[in-house]
């Protein structure tokens, strides 16, 4: 072997040894320098953007990024961070690793609002955190089921942010908190792990405004969204007259939120809701609501009592069908059974009662029509007679009072 060959062999050996050295020792922490400074910062120290700069290395090591050995400069990739002391530091670049998620975010209502100059619209860190990001399955994650209400509520429950950001819907966080979904989420029942949270209805990286046809909360898509949890109800609604109208693109037909609301959904078995929802039916069925209010059922429920028949007691809730359909609860085939649910002794004669009879129309029966006219004339006559009687009585009383006052003076003149 020549001298040149020996020298080349030695270089290769030294190179191999130098490459093997890090593997034998402790792995180099890519964040050692960064955490060395930020760990010593005071809790009150903040960046030029007003954000705290202190980072606890032990806590950071427990995060997704810390456990994954992600380097600080992978998120803080701008030149302002690479130089020390740091100059104007730009926000962390999530797209350096989460390119797909960031592209999806740009199409969301939050992303578009940010692009349009709305400075309070949520970014990645508002939902996922910064140096405390943990897996969604971790109860401490801002996106965990138990904390997502508070995470969304940080903006959608903050009156100041709602006003500054002109965020539609108002304080929906408070509404959800008091809804049946919010109460179940905080409860101890089995529903706790199944009840929908914000992202179940609105999505996460595909969150769009309800005006967007592709949104999970657009008017056309709401039944499908609700149906992911309430599958049986959606099936019944789809077969109803309302569902068929929706399928025929009649978008004025009621869907889930028209009757139940969105963020204010309450337990449907509550008497107050059962009475209040009558008004929702009346929003479309105006004439039927007028005739219902004329009945005993309507007048009692108008006083707030739910033990009397409401719309759904007769027509059903999600399975509403026209009377001509034999499967309808008010069809000729089923009306007796429907009435017997409240009136066990009801018979064929009983069901001849017209719950929506219009007393102002001859089509509902001449007896009812002319009886109504007679009662109206009688009522007007009684008021007219007694009104005139009262006026004449008053006139006579005043005349007597005037005469009484004048009488002593006349008698004094005689003496």
């Amino acid at each position: 072997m020549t001298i040149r060959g020996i020298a080349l062999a030695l270089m290769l050996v030294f190179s191999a040894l130098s490459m093997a050295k890090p593997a034998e020792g402790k792995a180099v922490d890519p964040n050692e320098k960064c955490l060395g400074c930020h760990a010593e910062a005071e809790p009150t120290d903040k960046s030029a953007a007003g954000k705290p700069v202190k980072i606890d290395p032990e806590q950071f090591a427990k995060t997704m990024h810390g456990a994954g050995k992600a380097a600080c400069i992978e998120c803080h990739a701008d030149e302002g961070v690479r130089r020390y002391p740091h100059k104007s530091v730009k926000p962390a670049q999530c797209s350096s690793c989460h390119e797909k998620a960031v592209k999806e975010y740009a199409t969301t209502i939050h992303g578009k609002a940010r692009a349009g100059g709305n400075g309070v619209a949520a970014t990645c860190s508002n939902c996922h955190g910064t140096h405390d990001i943990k897996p969604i399955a971790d109860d401490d994650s801002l996106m965990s089921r138990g904390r997502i209400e508070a995470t969304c509520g940080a903006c959608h429950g903050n009156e100041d942010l709602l006003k500054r950001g002109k965020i539609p819907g108002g304080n929906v966080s408070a509404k959800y908190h008091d809804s049946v979904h919010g109460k179940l989420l905080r409860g101890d029942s089995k529903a706790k792990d199944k009840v929908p949270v914000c992202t179940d209805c609105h999505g996460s990286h595909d969150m769009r405004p309800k005006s967007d046809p592709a949104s999970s909360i657009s008017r056309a898509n709401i039944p499908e969204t609700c149906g992911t949890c309430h599958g049986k109800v959606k099936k019944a609604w789809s077969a109803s007259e309302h569902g068929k109208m929706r399928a025929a693109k009649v978008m004025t037909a009621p869907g889930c939120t028209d009757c139940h609301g969105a963020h204010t959904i309450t337990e449907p078995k509550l008497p107050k809701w059962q009475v209040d929802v009558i008004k929702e039916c009346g929003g479309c069925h105006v004439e039927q609501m007028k005739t219902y209010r004329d009945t005993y059922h309507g007048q009692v429920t108008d006083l707030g009592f739910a033990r009397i028949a409401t719309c759904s007691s007769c027509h059903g809730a999600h399975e509403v069908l026209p009377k001509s359909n034999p499967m309808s609860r008010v069809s000729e085939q089923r009306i007796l059974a429907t009435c017997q649910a409240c009136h066990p002794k009801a018979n064929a004669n009983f069901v001849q009662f017209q719950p929506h009879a219009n007393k102002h129309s001859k089509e509902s029966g001449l007896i009812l029509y002319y009886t109504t006219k007679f009662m109206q004339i009688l009522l007007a006559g009684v008021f007219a007679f007694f009104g005139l009687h009262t006026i004449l009585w008053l006139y006579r009383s005043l005349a007597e009072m005037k005469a009484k006052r004048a009488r002593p003076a006349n008698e004094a003149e005689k003496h």
Side-chain angles (χ1 to χ4, degrees):
M1 181 179 291
T2 63
I3 295 176
R4 186 178 179 183
I6 294 173
L8 181 60
L10 290 174
M11 288 178 63
L12 290 173
V13 171
F14 285 129
S15 297
L17 290 174
S18 62
M19 291 177 66
K21 188 174 181 180
E24 296 172 357
K26 184 178 180 181
V28 176
D29 186 350
N31 301 323
E32 183 176 0
K33 289 185 178 179
C34 301
L35 293 176
C37 289
H38 286 272
E40 295 177 356
E42 296 295 330
T44 55
D45 290 343
K46 294 184 178 180
S47 66
K51 297 183 178 179
V53 297
K54 181 176 178 56
I55 300 174
D56 186 332
E58 292 185 4
Q59 294 297 322
F60 179 72
K62 297 177 182 177
T63 67
M64 291 185 70
H65 290 157
K69 301 298 181 184
C72 300
I73 57 173
E74 290 184 53
C75 301
H76 303 283
D78 64 290
E79 290 297 325
V81 173
R82 293 177 182 274
R83 296 178 181 177
Y84 188 82
H86 303 315
K87 300 293 182 181
S88 57
V89 179
K90 296 180 180 178
Q93 299 301 306
C94 302
S95 59
S96 57
C97 294
H98 307 283
E99 183 179 4
K100 181 176 180 291
V102 171
K103 283 184 177 179
E104 291 172 342
Y105 165 81
T107 65
T108 66
I109 186 171
H110 291 150
K112 289 182 178 179
R114 272 278 170 178
N118 190 329
V120 304
T123 62
C124 308
S125 60
N126 292 117
C127 300
H128 295 278
T130 53
H131 301 109
D132 54 350
I133 298 175
K134 295 186 176 181
I136 294 177
D138 191 317
D139 291 339
D140 290 333
S141 169
L142 293 177
M143 294 300 293
S144 67
R145 288 181 57 81
R147 295 191 64 184
I148 200 165
E149 179 192 344
T151 299
C152 297
C155 294
H156 294 277
N158 186 316
E159 297 292 348
D160 179 55
L161 279 181
L162 291 172
K163 186 177 181 180
R164 286 195 288 126
K166 298 180 180 179
I167 301 174
N171 192 338
V172 294
S173 178
K175 294 177 181 176
Y176 173 84
H177 189 79
D178 294 334
S179 73
V180 66
H181 290 156
K183 291 176 180 176
L184 288 173
L185 183 65
R186 299 192 302 277
D188 295 325
S189 66
K190 294 181 180 178
K192 180 179 181 180
D193 298 326
K194 298 179 180 179
V195 69
V197 294
C198 309
T199 50
D200 289 318
C201 298
H202 294 272
S204 52
H205 293 134
D206 55 348
M207 191 178 294
R208 299 168 186 269
K210 62 181 180 181
S211 57
D212 187 331
S215 170
S216 59
I217 58 166
S218 69
R219 186 165 180 78
N221 290 334
I222 280 178
E224 194 66 33
T225 299
C226 297
T228 56
C229 294
H230 303 282
K232 291 183 179 178
V233 173
K234 178 180 177 290
K235 184 178 180 181
W237 175 84
S238 298
S240 74
E241 189 67 9
H242 294 156
K244 291 176 181 176
M245 290 173 70
R246 277 294 190 90
K249 305 300 181 185
V250 181
M251 299 310 295
T252 54
C256 313
T257 53
D258 292 304
C259 299
H260 294 276
H263 300 102
T264 57
I265 298 173
T266 58
E267 169 59 55
K269 294 182 180 178
L270 291 177
K272 185 178 185 307
W273 186 84
Q274 292 179 351
V275 171
D276 288 345
V277 78
I278 295 174
K279 300 175 184 174
E280 304 302 333
C281 300
C284 295
H285 304 282
V286 179
E287 291 302 320
Q288 287 80 359
M289 177 56 60
K290 288 180 181 178
T291 53
Y292 170 76
R293 288 302 185 198
D294 285 338
T295 66
Y296 174 75
H297 292 157
Q299 293 185 21
V300 174
T301 54
D302 200 26
L303 295 174
F305 296 98
R307 297 185 63 182
I308 302 299
T310 62
C311 307
S312 60
S313 303
C314 301
H315 297 275
H318 303 106
E319 65 277 17
V320 177
L321 292 169
K323 185 178 179 180
S324 57
N325 189 321
M327 294 302 294
S328 170
R329 291 164 60 95
V330 295
S331 65
E332 293 182 2
Q333 293 85 347
R334 297 188 63 188
I335 185 64
L336 180 59
T338 299
C339 292
Q340 288 177 336
C342 296
H343 306 279
K345 296 182 179 179
N347 52 29
N349 188 47
F350 183 90
V351 298
Q352 297 303 313
F353 169 74
Q354 297 184 49
H356 290 287
N358 186 350
K359 61 186 179 184
H360 303 294
S361 173
K362 293 182 179 179
E363 295 180 357
S364 295
L366 295 178
I367 295 177
L368 175 65
Y369 176 78
Y370 284 113
T371 300
T372 301
K373 292 296 181 185
F374 171 76
M375 292 301 296
Q376 289 175 336
I377 293 173
L378 178 63
L379 186 64
V382 168
F383 273 100
F385 175 79
F386 283 101
L388 180 60
H389 182 272
T390 302
I391 292 173
L392 294 175
W393 190 281
L394 177 63
Y395 176 79
R396 178 183 175 183
S397 298
L398 292 175
E400 288 182 353
M401 289 174 62
K402 185 177 179 181
K404 187 175 181 180
R405 289 176 181 175
R407 194 175 300 133
N410 293 335
E411 291 179 355
E413 289 177 0
K414 292 179 179 179
H415 293 288

